[in-house]
Amino acid sequence: MDEIRRAAEILRAGGLVAFPTETVYGLGADASSAAAIARLYAAKGRPADHPVIVHFATAENAFSFAREIPPEARKLAERFWPGPLTLILKRSDKAKDFVTGGQDSVGLRVPSHPVAQELLREFGGGVAAPSANPFGSVSATTAAHVREDLKVDLVLDGGPSDVGIESTIVDLTSGVAMLRPGTISELEIESLLKTKIQKKKEDSPRHSGGLERHYAPKTPVLLARPHELDAQIAKRGASVAVLAFSRPDERVDYWIRMPREPQAYAQRLYAALRELDGAGCGTILIESPPETAEWEAVRDRLSRAAG
Ligand code: TXA
Ligand code: MG
């Protein structure tokens, strides 16, 4: 409790607090302070024109940053907040250029992790928080990951993140469009709203998750279909680290076996990528998951890791 109070004080003073959310750890700063957000971007090494998601304890607080709240936003918030969903809405004057990247829209999220909830309630206002990792690299799902990568004023430790990959992002600024798949699926959203989700438009607003190489380890990543795995290992031998569904192969020193269930896979993905990245191999070889809808979010992160 004392630590939460201290964390809120650091945020009020313009400092940086990393905190757990159910998706990944966030690097938090006061969303109303230009100076705090400048520090945040510097700590992440992120280009200043990229927008950040603003986090709140409640939907009511979140919607105060939007000037139009379409019925779809209320329905999605009611069903999925607090939880791993980010909504892009037309901004109100509370959402300043330094959190929107100068765009007319703002990203809003109400996380469910109890430590995030306590922090947001104690702080009261909006907390801008990108994933707590250097720009472009693998997101952090534990406090230890954050400490390895970033210099911040305080890291709140809430244990490993449950979901393991970043929130689903839905753009509601004109119609309903999916900007980033996540564990809340397109199908769930379509069946709730009884409408088809648009494909991401070419001219959709900038979002760094949309860059080609993102969520990426330093080691080059190669995706292989299950039937290609063996040939790739034969070709590369001991210089590969493998992430696969199948049992370890004795020719390979670094092998992480992943669950055949997408939620459990997502939960372990970033820790596994970090571990294989640390093995010092020439290539991280990853067995592609099935092409089915339930694997969409995981496939998205893997293909971005592969660049
Ligand atoms: O699960 C998550 O969403 C985590 C946790 C910490 O909440 N946060 C996260 O933040 O993944 P970040 O900054 O790493 O990714 C947020 C994505 C970026 O691709 C950003 O460009 C996009 O959301 N975004 C934010 N505001 C936007 C806006 N107004 N329009 C379009 N994209 C936006
Ligand atoms: Mg990120």
Side-chain angles (χ1 to χ4, degrees):
M1 251 342 223
D2 272 358
E3 220 190 2
I4 296 288
R5 227 170 282 144
R6 214 180 109 220
E9 267 163 33
I10 292 171
L11 290 176
R12 278 182 210 116
L16 303 181
V17 175
F19 62 97
T21 85
E22 67 279 16
T23 57
V24 298
Y25 274 64
L27 176 58
D30 180 354
S32 68
S33 160
I37 302 302
R39 287 195 63 201
L40 178 71
Y41 278 59
K44 253 191 89 92
R46 186 184 217 188
D49 62 345
H50 281 246
V52 280
I53 297 172
V54 188
H55 298 65
F56 297 87
T58 65
E60 194 191 331
N61 290 355
F63 286 150
S64 72
F65 268 51
R67 67 170 185 276
E68 258 173 48
I69 303 144
E72 291 85 358
R74 294 203 188 276
K75 273 190 203 156
L76 288 168
E78 200 174 306
R79 171 84 170 73
F80 295 114
W81 278 353
L85 176 73
T86 296
L87 298 179
I88 309 293
L89 297 176
K90 290 182 182 152
R91 68 166 164 180
S92 73
D93 52 14
K94 288 188 176 172
K96 306 292 183 199
D97 279 346
F98 48 81
V99 293
T100 69
Q103 303 182 74
D104 193 34
S105 61
V106 63
L108 303 171
R109 178 157 119 76
V110 177
S112 64
H113 193 292
V115 174
Q117 274 286 327
E118 272 185 58
L119 175 66
L120 293 165
R121 279 177 203 284
E122 180 71 29
F123 180 66
V127 174
S131 52
N133 55 279
F135 180 65
S137 75
V138 179
S139 299
T141 54
T142 67
H145 293 160
V146 181
R147 293 193 185 103
E148 280 161 25
D149 284 355
L150 294 174
K151 241 186 88 31
V152 301
D153 299 308
L154 179 67
V155 181
L156 293 173
D157 190 345
S161 294
D162 248 8
V163 172
I165 56 173
E166 304 76 4
S167 60
T168 302
I169 304 182
V170 177
D171 184 348
L172 296 172
T173 53
S174 71
V176 185
M178 178 77 93
L179 290 190
R180 181 172 71 186
T183 50
I184 295 174
S185 70
E186 196 170 309
L187 199 70
E188 277 177 279
I189 293 167
E190 287 183 338
S191 66
L192 177 74
L193 300 181
K194 299 185 179 59
T195 178
K196 208 67 192 128
I197 298 190
Q198 294 158 238
K199 298 243 177 297
K200 199 187 75 194
K201 298 158 286 172
E202 288 295 331
D203 64 343
S204 64
R206 245 185 335 260
H207 60 117
S208 63
L211 294 180
E212 240 172 46
R213 193 169 149 85
H214 207 73
Y215 314 111
K218 291 172 197 78
T219 313
V221 171
L222 186 71
L223 287 173
R225 285 156 196 259
H227 68 272
E228 296 163 347
L229 202 59
D230 189 66
Q232 285 294 344
I233 292 168
K235 197 163 114 191
R236 291 158 199 274
S239 74
V240 292
V242 177
L243 191 73
F245 297 105
S246 41
R247 270 176 221 291
D249 181 307
E250 57 189 14
R251 293 168 293 180
V252 175
D253 293 332
Y254 297 95
W255 188 294
I256 295 178
R257 198 172 178 197
M258 295 296 277
R260 286 189 185 275
E261 194 280 310
Q263 315 273 350
Y265 189 110
Q267 188 179 51
R268 283 150 81 163
L269 176 60
Y270 290 148
L273 285 179
R274 283 165 174 266
E275 189 180 330
L276 295 180
D277 204 16
C281 293
T283 308
I284 296 175
L285 182 62
I286 301 180
E287 180 178 0
S288 318
E291 293 289 322
T292 54
E294 51 168 11
W295 286 93
E296 190 192 358
V298 165
R299 280 201 314 275
D300 169 77
R301 302 311 188 277
L302 291 178
S303 63
R304 290 180 204 278

